[in-house]
Amino acid sequence: MPVADDHKKYILQLYAIALADEAVSKEELLFLNEFARRKGISENEIDQLLLNPEMIVPVIAESLPEKIELLYYAAGMVCADGKIDERELPVLKNCCSNLGFMAENCDDISAFMLEEVKKSTSLADIQVLVKLNMIQ
């Protein structure tokens, strides 16, 4: 039976980032499991999703807060093992583009998100920063 939960589809996107450097570190798996735990997804469900990705019904993040949340966690996955591998960056930028951001802005958006994640800025604070910058 297909899974239509937005958060479950993010599991595969985060896992794709972890795989981009051809090695999934312990820290990346911990990050993935922590994301899942926060979203109420069990380890068994993670295993099933990774083994059966066709179970996920594609759902597009429509609101800006949803898009920012996914990029935040995607940047978190890039930084999870303590190093940013150059092979992970195109996957992050592709995620940004797939979320509907203009391609010419994806480099800057990805760089901003990585910098904020490295500074341990909370998702809520990033949401506020984005909202304030949109108003100006």
Side-chain angles (χ1 to χ4, degrees):
M1 169 185 271
V3 177
D5 185 347
D6 289 356
H7 299 298
K8 290 180 182 178
K9 78 178 178 78
Y10 295 162
I11 295 292
L12 291 179
Q13 292 171 329
L14 294 174
Y15 194 67
I17 291 169
L19 280 174
D21 62 0
E22 299 176 5
V24 178
S25 71
K26 176 182 173 184
E27 294 84 4
E28 288 169 329
L29 286 176
L30 289 172
F31 183 90
L32 185 68
N33 283 318
E34 179 61 20
F35 170 82
R37 186 190 63 73
R38 286 183 187 159
K39 301 302 180 184
I41 302 168
S42 72
E43 287 185 31
N44 183 51
E45 287 175 295
I46 293 172
D47 292 342
Q48 290 304 310
L49 292 168
L50 295 178
L51 292 172
N52 303 294
E54 69 279 357
M55 290 174 48
I56 296 180
V57 175
V59 178
I60 305 299
E62 294 184 18
S63 72
L64 183 59
E66 287 177 297
K67 293 175 183 184
I68 297 301
E69 180 182 12
L70 178 54
L71 285 176
Y72 177 79
Y73 286 112
M77 179 60 83
V78 170
C79 297
D81 59 3
K83 58 186 184 296
I84 297 174
D85 189 289
E86 292 300 314
R87 295 171 287 187
E88 294 170 326
L89 297 177
V91 181
L92 179 61
K93 291 174 189 173
N94 188 48
C95 179
C96 185
S97 178
N98 287 342
L99 286 169
F101 292 99
M102 294 173 55
E104 59 267 20
N105 295 332
C106 288
D107 284 347
D108 291 339
I109 292 169
S110 296
F112 165 78
M113 199 61 72
L114 285 170
E115 196 57 40
E116 295 305 316
V117 167
K118 286 191 288 185
K119 292 190 301 189
S120 299
T121 306
S122 72
L123 174 59
D125 287 345
I126 291 173
Q127 296 281 18
V128 169
L129 283 171
V130 169
K131 189 173 184 175
L132 288 174
N133 284 320
M134 289 179 65
I135 293 171
Q136 297 176 359

